[in-house]
Amino acid sequence: MSTKRISLTQYLIEQQRGEAQIPAQLRLLIEVVARACKRIAINVNKGALGDVLGSAGSENVQGEVQKKLDVIANEVLIEANEWGGHLAGMASEEMDDMLAVPNRYPQGEYLLLFDPLDGSSNIDINVSIGTIFSVLKHQGGPVTNESFLQPGTAQVCAGYCVYGPQTTLVLTVGKGVVMFTLDREQGSWVMTEDNVRIPEDTKEFAINMSNMRHWATPVKRYIDECLAGKDGPRGKDFNMRWVAAMVADVHRIMTRGGIFMYPWDKREPNKPGKLRLMYEANPMSFLVEQAGGVATNGLQRIMEIQPTQLHERVSVMLGSRNEVDLVTRYHQELK
Ligand code: F6P
């Protein structure tokens, strides 16, 4: 193994000078987000010793109970980003409306969206959780919720940090996907994968099977065929994995392939899905596509959906190309 260590800073400076030509402000913004993720990782690791487990006694805009760590992670990201001068505003799963950068600080040209702590139900049981983020360019004028309503194709950067056995930061600035592992002794991010590729084929799916009776026909057909294994139309056995934190399930797919689905279901027919478009589905779709995978809502590419609300929900199917294409075809055939 080579002893040459590439840090996040070195990688970003190379992206500034090289093909991606990322502006210095975007580089600084990514460094600040990565620094905030380190602070969140420290809090996550303290667990019961740091009084960070359990409920915060409040609800977010989606009516979900906020955990203490949801609130802490949200505050860490805001505090880290509001003064640097690279942002015009921030939006978070944990805040009803967007947050403009306070007047006492200079305004930058970017918009940052995040799910500060994805997979909240895993916090107290010591299973992987993460932070997901997306960066857009502010199109000018006063910053409002509407400023954030840009399709995923407008993202200039997306990433996530998974707090698991290792703390890993996965990033794209539109030129492939790279992974960094947190070196705790040095306090630095070290590149551990420089060209993440999702295999086109897979034998592994991730979906909450307990919802099967609520699914639409195309999803049911796809999973039924996977379950039929070697004897069914697919002619191969499939395995199932479900961590119940999108960030961890997607990380597995980025590492060894697979398909992840959180489809529309009949429990709440008026909602397009459970997951949020702007700070969950879009950044993950950008990463998955940059790694050679596919991300759709069953009918169209997720990144081409024109958002109409900050906390909009969407049906999600993403991962290995041939599997996502197949389940998307099943949806399109029934259209
Ligand atoms: O953000 C919502 C989330 O925690 C995702 O990370 C995860 O994929 C999903 O909910 C799991 O939800 P459920 O357990 O209800 O299927």
Side-chain angles (χ1 to χ4, degrees):
M1 203 176 121
S2 159
T3 51
K4 189 170 174 327
R5 287 161 58 108
I6 299 177
S7 66
L8 175 66
T9 304
Q10 181 179 349
Y11 170 77
L12 291 174
I13 288 180
E14 281 165 6
Q15 294 307 303
Q16 191 182 332
R17 291 188 191 136
E19 209 195 334
Q21 295 270 309
I22 63 166
Q25 271 212 12
L26 179 57
R27 172 168 71 78
L28 290 171
L29 161 54
I30 298 169
E31 295 237 38
V32 173
V33 172
R35 207 154 50 231
C37 288
K38 276 193 232 173
R39 278 190 57 197
I40 297 170
I42 291 166
N43 281 292
V44 168
N45 287 140
K46 281 185 189 152
L49 297 178
D51 190 25
V52 295
L53 303 184
S55 159
S58 48
E59 280 190 355
N60 67 14
V61 64
Q62 357 262 334
E64 297 161 343
V65 173
Q66 288 179 308
K67 302 279 182 138
K68 284 185 195 162
L69 264 176
D70 286 324
V71 176
I72 294 170
N74 196 53
E75 279 166 9
V76 167
L77 280 156
I78 292 171
E79 275 173 32
N81 280 287
E82 65 183 0
W83 51 270
H86 42 261
L87 278 187
M90 286 176 259
S92 160
E93 180 182 10
E94 303 303 334
M95 302 189 293
D96 299 11
D97 291 304
M98 69 95 210
L99 187 79
V101 165
N103 286 337
R104 59 186 183 280
Y105 301 123
Q107 256 218 8
E109 35 181 315
Y110 292 101
L111 302 170
L112 176 67
L113 298 105
F114 45 84
D115 177 352
L117 212 72
D118 176 64
S120 299
S121 64
N122 282 352
I123 295 174
D124 295 349
I125 57 166
N126 198 5
V127 173
S128 294
I129 46 181
T131 298
I132 311 173
F133 63 94
S134 162
V135 184
L136 295 165
K137 206 137 188 237
H138 179 42
Q139 301 301 318
V143 197
T144 63
N145 283 350
E146 282 64 43
S147 315
F148 290 79
L149 304 183
Q150 303 178 35
T153 48
Q155 292 171 104
V156 293
C157 169
Y160 64 81
C161 182
V162 53
Y163 312 108
Q166 304 107 44
T167 298
T168 308
L169 179 70
V170 181
L171 191 70
T172 184
V173 290
K175 296 278 176 238
V177 179
V178 284
M179 285 188 191
F180 298 86
T181 302
L182 182 60
D183 178 335
R184 286 182 183 272
E185 278 112 69
Q186 308 266 351
S188 57
W189 294 105
V190 181
M191 188 189 283
T192 41
E193 190 68 58
D194 69 351
N195 182 22
V196 177
R197 303 303 296 166
I198 299 175
E200 290 189 355
D201 290 301
T202 182
K203 292 176 169 182
E204 206 159 68
F205 65 83
I207 190 165
N208 186 340
M209 289 290 290
S210 68
N211 297 328
M212 191 169 203
R213 69 190 185 286
H214 306 298
W215 295 338
T217 313
V219 177
K220 178 108 183 8
R221 173 181 174 192
Y222 174 78
I223 293 294
D224 278 343
E225 290 180 359
C226 292
L227 294 177
K230 270 206 185 84
D231 307 327
R234 302 300 311 278
K236 59 180 182 181
D237 290 334
F238 281 76
N239 191 15
M240 193 202 91
R241 285 286 181 270
W242 182 250
V243 186
M246 184 197 201
V247 74
D249 282 307
V250 171
H251 189 60
R252 185 184 54 257
I253 287 167
M254 299 297 275
T255 309
R256 66 176 190 211
I259 176 170
F260 168 90
M261 288 187 276
Y262 215 115
W264 169 90
D265 70 46
K266 281 184 266 177
R267 284 173 301 170
E268 290 184 281
N270 297 329
K271 285 188 185 161
K274 174 174 183 182
L275 301 179
R276 273 49 61 114
L277 174 63
M278 303 297 296
Y279 39 78
E280 292 181 322
N282 267 343
M284 290 310 202
S285 300
F286 191 17
L287 288 157
V288 164
E289 287 195 7
Q290 283 293 314
V294 178
T296 77
N297 65 355
L299 291 171
Q300 71 174 124
R301 191 178 166 213
I302 287 177
M303 291 221 291
E304 284 176 0
I305 296 172
Q306 175 58 52
T308 55
Q309 290 171 45
L310 201 50
H311 299 287
E312 182 163 335
R313 293 172 191 259
V314 67
S315 174
V316 175
M317 283 143 226
L318 58 78
S320 291
R321 173 174 296 280
N322 292 335
E323 295 303 313
V324 181
D325 282 351
L326 183 64
V327 70
T328 304
R329 183 156 63 74
Y330 289 173
H331 281 81
Q332 285 163 346
E333 279 172 10
L334 270 191
K335 213 169 93 174

